[in-house]
Amino acid sequence: MKNITRHIICVILTTLFSVYSFEVFAQNFDQANVKSRVAERVQLMNDYVAYMADKKNDYPTRLYYRKRALPLFIGKGYKYISDGIEKEGVMMQTTSTNRVGKVTTQLIRDYFTKLINLKYSNVKITSTKAANIKVSDLKKIGKDDSGNYIYECTCVYEQYFYAYRDGKLVYKDKTTKRISCRVEVESTEDGLETIIRLGDVEAICTERT
């Protein structure tokens, strides 16, 4: 009987310690490290955007990178729930110096499709590298249904767009963008894990270069 009681007490203490450890880690994790990983995730997304736009890659290859990019986003680019409200998917804003003051907002999956099918002979896109992406401090916004802590931050980066027809540069611009990012701190069998998901992208300003 004493052995059973001792075992129960050990299980309870171990559980309480695990919960406490998770709470402490989730609230005091290394922000600098996580922010660095967030910037790397944004750069990965931008790399996929460049691959999709580049018509030197064949059509199936560009579709492949669209497929690779969508899982980086909340809901994998499709419907998800936020604050009890169903969203159609993550949104992307685009602008052009040819349409001053007009901002187009579309689903990220539709943006990727249109990017692949742009009516230029080629498109080149470059963006700020991870080391130079400006990442805000992470802000705790609550917990999900599983009790995992959720944090949010934003990243600001610049995107350069070059469009060509028959080898001739016909349009170029620079857009400053701000993307929202979500970090989930999850307890797994292998320990605590941070999961980074990308959110809506805002076009702050666009100018000719």
Side-chain angles (χ1 to χ4, degrees):
M1 184 68 181
K2 288 183 179 180
N3 289 335
I4 295 175
T5 302
R6 187 180 297 110
H7 176 72
I8 293 173
I9 292 173
C10 288
V11 170
I12 293 173
L13 289 175
T14 300
T15 302
L16 289 174
F17 178 77
S18 298
V19 171
Y20 174 76
S21 297
F22 173 66
E23 294 281 334
V24 170
F25 175 85
Q27 298 186 63
N28 300 286
F29 62 87
D30 184 352
Q31 280 221 17
N33 177 266
V34 175
K35 288 168 66 174
S36 177
R37 289 179 54 207
V38 169
E40 290 171 357
R41 185 59 56 90
V42 173
Q43 179 180 319
L44 179 60
M45 180 269 294
N46 285 331
D47 288 344
Y48 287 157
V49 165
Y51 300 151
M52 281 183 263
D54 189 352
K55 294 192 177 182
K56 293 178 183 177
N57 297 320
D58 60 29
Y59 193 71
T61 298
R62 285 180 277 138
L63 287 177
Y64 166 79
Y65 283 115
R66 179 185 183 276
K67 184 177 180 180
R68 290 289 301 271
L70 286 174
L72 300 177
F73 293 86
I74 300 169
K76 298 182 178 180
Y78 290 85
K79 291 183 179 181
Y80 67 95
I81 304 295
S82 178
D83 296 327
I85 301 172
E86 184 177 81
K87 305 285 188 178
E88 281 298 313
V90 168
M91 308 301 289
M92 165 71 80
Q93 289 186 348
T94 58
T95 53
S96 168
T97 58
N98 291 333
R99 294 175 282 113
V100 178
K102 182 178 180 180
V103 177
T104 300
T105 303
Q106 56 195 310
L107 292 165
I108 193 71
R109 60 182 184 269
D110 294 339
Y111 164 75
F112 287 158
T113 299
K114 291 178 181 178
L115 181 65
I116 290 171
N117 294 301
L118 285 174
K119 302 302 181 182
Y120 294 104
S121 59
N122 197 22
V123 174
K124 179 182 177 182
I125 295 177
T126 62
S127 302
T128 307
K129 296 301 182 184
N132 296 315
I133 291 174
K134 298 177 181 177
V135 186
S136 70
D137 287 339
L138 283 89
K139 179 181 179 182
K140 186 172 67 177
I141 62 171
K143 296 181 180 180
D144 62 15
D145 294 338
S146 300
N148 301 318
Y149 276 101
I150 301 175
Y151 294 79
E152 283 188 350
C153 66
T154 59
C155 294
V156 175
Y157 63 93
E158 294 177 343
Q159 183 182 84
Y160 293 83
F161 180 94
Y162 307 87
Y164 298 83
R165 283 198 176 96
D166 300 322
K168 182 181 178 181
L169 181 65
V170 296
Y171 178 82
K172 61 179 180 177
D173 68 25
K174 178 184 75 172
T175 301
T176 301
K177 295 191 173 187
R178 179 188 295 117
I179 182 171
S180 62
C181 305
R182 176 179 293 182
V183 177
E184 301 170 11
V185 181
E186 180 179 340
S187 179
T188 69
E189 292 182 356
D190 297 323
L192 298 173
E193 180 181 354
T194 54
I195 301 170
I196 300 167
R197 306 184 194 279
L198 305 180
D200 295 337
V201 184
E202 173 191 1
I204 300 173
C205 66
T206 298
E207 57 189 276
R208 283 193 178 275
T209 57

